[in-house]
Amino acid sequence: MTKQLLIIGFVWPEPDSSAAGSRMLQIIEQFQNQGYGIVFASAAKISDKTYNLNAINVETREIQLNDSTFDAFVAELNPDVVVFDRFMIEEQYGWRVAEYCPHALRILDTEDFHGLRKAREQALKANTELSVELLQNDTTKREIASIYRSDLSVMISEAEIDILRNQFRIDDSLLHYLPFLLDKITEENINHLPAFEERQHFMTIGNFLHPPNYDNVLYLKQTIWPLIKAKLPKAELHIYGAYESQQVTQLHNDKDGFLIKGFADNVNEVMQHYRVCLAPLRFGAGLKGKLIDAMQNGTPCMMSTIASEGMFGELEPNGFVIDDVKAFATNAVSLYTDASVWNTKQANGFKVINDRFNTFQFNEGFAEKVSNLRRTLKTHRENNFIGNMLQHQTLQSTKYLSKWIEEKNK
């Protein structure tokens, strides 16, 4: 009998719009390789950018928020494993899964540490350092409660695992490191990429609905790009991203070479035209998809410490990691104009992809983790008393609030 996985999505996957969409497809592939039949369900709206999951043999179901029809659906499906796409989904559906499928392994795919991102945003707005007080925000409290209620939380960044371990004392048994899972870059791949002399201009990319990306564009426009442009008057900065709004479009300025390009139909084709990717992110969490795309396409990066977090480990970065504005601009010019420096940084990127994110390094470990947890689930839950307590207390209020909303909506 085929093992059954239910994924409850915060949104329908859009791999061309965001790194989160690509990440979800990688998780789907992991479970398909383990022999699972997969149903993907979401209450979100389907858009013209939504990936066709049926084409990869994933069944899709539209579900509702605060609606008991989900209970009948999940009870009938009776999945062996349920993956919650971000903690907000676990809050909404976790108690229903626990009640109607008590023996299903519950996995939280965090995407990134939302509470950390929130804390950094608050620190930026207050012009202060990240503190324990800021880190212990309401989003963090909700997210860590969700981690405890889940049997396993999949983490994309080693840096975030360290924070959860050291700051919040979360046990290793509840966490599993599973970064971006990528194919190896071969010499043949590399030889087909445009060389230094065949590329021109700077670029950045990111879904504009994601606040760190919009802030990144504003920061470039107001602070960094004028310094680079002063030294490279013929250079341009091209900005790509899905869901551009009027406030993004109005930043376009031909005279300054600051050009809003909008949605990129094919990020690989686009990225290969450019010499340098700029990512001076001032807040955020997780791993940055734009850096992965840049490394895969041989485009060296200028990045902030936050942008680079969790990406390189002990390896050299595919560019420069700098937070000081003037030094960032100076090194961006050097990276853009010095072929020797550029080629070295490009080679670093290929090594990072192959040594840190090669999917074959992680497949077996994740499959074993899932299999072992399913086999020892009763003991695993008994050892997670805080999770049991939160399941009992917190979700009682969530459960009855949801039922009240459902009655109110009738």
Side-chain angles (χ1 to χ4, degrees):
M1 187 173 175
T2 304
K3 296 175 290 186
Q4 193 73 46
L5 166 70
L6 171 64
I7 301 175
I8 309 176
F10 180 66
V11 294
W12 296 96
E14 295 184 10
D16 292 333
S17 301
S18 71
S22 298
R23 161 74 166 180
M24 180 53 70
L25 295 186
Q26 292 166 9
I27 287 178
I28 287 171
E29 184 177 12
Q30 285 286 309
F31 279 99
Q32 286 181 327
N33 290 341
Q34 295 175 35
Y36 282 82
I38 302 177
V39 176
F40 190 102
S42 180
K45 292 182 179 179
I46 294 175
S47 78
D48 59 348
K49 297 181 178 67
T50 296
Y51 187 84
N52 180 10
L53 290 171
N54 299 137
I56 57 170
N57 298 315
V58 174
E59 183 184 339
T60 56
R61 290 287 295 268
E62 293 185 40
I63 54 177
Q64 305 298 318
L65 293 171
N66 302 304
D67 195 308
S68 57
T69 57
F70 178 86
D71 304 342
F73 157 66
V74 77
E76 181 182 357
L77 184 65
N78 194 24
D80 299 284
V81 180
V82 177
V83 170
F84 302 105
D85 175 21
R86 287 164 261 204
F87 78 90
M88 301 81 83
I89 290 300
E90 188 279 333
E91 287 181 330
Q92 177 68 224
Y93 297 99
W95 67 269
R96 295 182 184 274
V97 171
E99 187 165 325
Y100 292 95
C101 302
H103 303 299
L105 176 67
R106 302 189 298 270
I107 298 178
L108 173 64
D109 178 29
T110 57
E111 291 290 348
D112 61 35
F113 187 176
H114 294 71
L116 175 61
R117 186 194 331 140
K118 184 68 175 179
R120 284 172 169 163
E121 183 176 10
Q122 291 173 335
L124 178 64
K125 288 179 177 177
N127 194 27
T128 187
E129 293 293 315
L130 180 67
S131 64
V132 172
E133 181 183 6
L134 287 177
L135 193 55
Q136 293 179 349
N137 57 66
D138 289 348
T139 299
T140 297
K141 291 168 186 172
R142 289 171 58 195
E143 190 164 14
I144 289 181
S146 181
I147 287 171
Y148 273 115
R149 287 192 300 263
S150 303
D151 299 312
L152 185 70
S153 289
V154 174
M155 307 295 301
I156 203 168
S157 168
E158 292 165 314
E160 293 177 1
I161 289 179
D162 287 342
I163 292 172
L164 291 173
R165 278 176 182 156
N166 300 324
Q167 181 62 47
F168 296 102
R169 302 293 187 264
I170 293 180
D171 194 87
D172 279 348
S173 65
L174 297 177
L175 306 173
H176 187 81
Y177 175 54
L178 196 70
F180 286 123
L181 305 167
L182 308 171
D183 293 332
K184 184 177 181 180
I185 299 175
T186 65
E187 284 298 322
E188 184 180 2
N189 298 146
I190 294 170
N191 292 335
H192 279 92
L193 293 172
F196 174 86
E197 297 80 9
E198 299 173 276
R199 300 173 182 237
Q200 63 175 344
H201 302 316
F202 294 83
M203 67 90 67
T204 192
I205 191 168
N207 187 324
F208 294 118
L209 293 179
H210 193 49
N213 288 331
Y214 177 65
D215 179 77
N216 180 58
V217 174
L218 272 184
Y219 188 45
L220 284 166
K221 168 84 172 178
Q222 298 168 352
T223 308
I224 292 176
W225 181 244
L227 299 177
I228 296 174
K229 184 69 172 173
K231 295 182 178 180
L232 298 171
K234 292 184 179 180
E236 297 173 356
L237 172 56
H238 296 181
I239 296 98
Y240 292 88
Y243 301 106
E244 63 180 287
S245 62
Q246 178 60 36
Q247 65 178 167
V248 173
T249 306
Q250 68 186 10
L251 298 175
H252 183 99
N253 189 308
D254 288 307
K255 179 173 169 289
D256 294 339
F258 194 90
L259 310 181
I260 305 297
K261 294 288 190 175
F263 181 71
D265 289 320
N266 186 317
V267 67
N268 297 316
E269 288 182 7
V270 166
M271 187 83 73
Q272 290 174 24
H273 292 302
Y274 295 94
R275 196 172 285 178
V276 174
C277 174
L278 301 179
L281 292 162
R282 297 194 291 176
F283 67 99
L287 294 179
K288 309 304 177 292
K290 57 178 66 64
L291 300 191
I292 292 289
D293 290 333
M295 287 189 282
Q296 287 180 311
N297 290 289
T299 309
C301 293
M302 289 299 309
M303 67 207 102
S304 63
T305 301
I306 284 174
S308 71
E309 184 180 70
M311 188 67 71
F312 303 108
E314 300 299 318
L315 300 180
E316 291 296 317
N318 69 318
F320 295 102
V321 181
I322 297 173
D323 293 321
D324 178 77
V325 172
K326 290 184 179 178
F328 188 101
T330 299
N331 281 273
V333 171
S334 172
L335 188 56
Y336 189 83
T337 55
D338 190 326
S340 175
V341 172
W342 189 90
N343 283 314
T344 298
K345 299 301 184 182
Q346 183 192 60
N348 290 347
F350 298 143
K351 183 171 176 56
V352 170
I353 294 290
N354 290 343
D355 288 4
R356 281 182 58 77
F357 302 109
N358 188 330
T359 184
F360 292 110
Q361 296 175 6
F362 300 96
N363 294 348
E364 187 176 338
F366 184 56
E368 284 184 3
K369 185 77 171 184
V370 171
S371 177
N372 290 340
L373 276 179
R374 286 191 61 210
R375 192 176 61 253
T376 61
L377 191 55
K378 184 175 183 291
T379 304
H380 178 73
R381 287 178 176 170
E382 288 172 351
N383 291 334
N384 179 20
F385 177 75
I386 293 176
N388 289 327
M389 178 178 65
L390 287 170
Q391 192 76 264
H392 173 73
Q393 297 281 45
T394 312
L395 285 199
Q396 290 304 309
S397 59
T398 306
K399 174 179 177 177
Y400 290 109
L401 175 62
S402 180
K403 287 183 177 292
W404 178 81
I405 292 172
E406 182 178 5
E407 288 299 316
K408 183 173 179 287
N409 289 339
K410 285 182 179 178

